[in-house]
């Protein structure tokens, strides 16, 4: 299990625009989420770091979607080399964990490169103007070490929803590297 940290790109960076399909081929565009805070999470199916937080992340997403934040997950792994990350497996994973948000396929990996995503999970929280407000870990737990709560991401989301900027002292996410082509 390799450990790759997220890239801590500059806060205030604009969100890259994207248009990606879900596993059924329905296209989702970043433009659909204008005027709302938006969490973009780079995840996959097989990574032990994602598996560790999957249920807690699904609960987090359900809770914060109800509060007015939008959530999208993107799988950028090369699923031809990693069959566990195929769109068919993504469908099953979304059902198994109760994902209520779009789980999109970045087959070209162009969106991951535009975001400078490095690992799974990798979280990017944008304010309603789609300026980067948080990039970092879900919380400080890791596989086999603690029960995930989403403490760090919750604090950032709560600040944004209260009209404040999240604390700029943010810790990088850690996980498996994105499986590049």
């Amino acid at each position: 299990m390799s450990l790759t940290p997220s890239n801590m790109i500059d806060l205030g960076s604009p969100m890259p625009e994207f248009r990606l399909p879900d596993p059924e081929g329905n296209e989702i565009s970043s433009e659909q989420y204008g005027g709302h805070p938006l969490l973009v999470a780079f995840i996959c199916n097989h990574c032990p770091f994602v598996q560790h937080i999957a249920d807690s992340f699904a609960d987090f997403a359900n809770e914060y979607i109800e509060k007015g934040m939008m959530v999208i997950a993107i799988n950028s792994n090369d699923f031809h080399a990693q069959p566990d990350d195929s769109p068919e497996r993504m469908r099953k994973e979304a059902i198994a964990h109760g994902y209520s948000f779009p789980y999109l396929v970045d087959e070209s990996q162009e969106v991951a490169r535009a975001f400078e995503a490095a690992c799974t999970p990798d979280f990017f929280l944008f304010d309603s103007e789609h300026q980067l407000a948080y990039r970092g870990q879900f919380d400080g737990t890791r596989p086999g070490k603690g029960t995930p709560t989403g403490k760090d991401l919750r604090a950032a989301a709560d600040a944004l929803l209260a009209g404040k900027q999240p604390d700029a002292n943010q810790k990088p996410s850690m996980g498996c590297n994105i499986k590049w082509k």
Side-chain angles (χ1 to χ4, degrees), residues 82-143:
Q82 298 286 328
D84 284 344
D85 289 327
S86 71
E88 177 59 35
R89 290 290 315 230
M90 289 172 63
R91 259 188 234 100
K92 291 177 181 173
E93 196 74 6
I95 292 167
H97 294 292
Y99 293 166
S100 61
F101 47 84
Y103 187 15
L104 307 177
V105 182
D106 180 19
E107 186 172 5
S108 72
Q109 300 180 321
E110 289 175 17
V111 175
R113 291 187 195 287
F115 275 80
E116 297 184 44
C119 60
T120 56
D122 210 348
F123 298 99
F124 299 85
L125 179 58
F126 296 90
D127 64 20
S128 59
E129 309 280 313
H130 289 179
Q131 303 299 305
L132 185 64
Y134 180 82
R135 74 288 190 249
Q137 65 183 5
F138 188 63
D139 59 28
T141 68
R142 301 293 181 259

Side-chain angles (χ1 to χ4, degrees), residues 155-166:
D158 288 342
L160 261 191
L161 292 172
K164 301 174 184 168
Q165 283 300 312

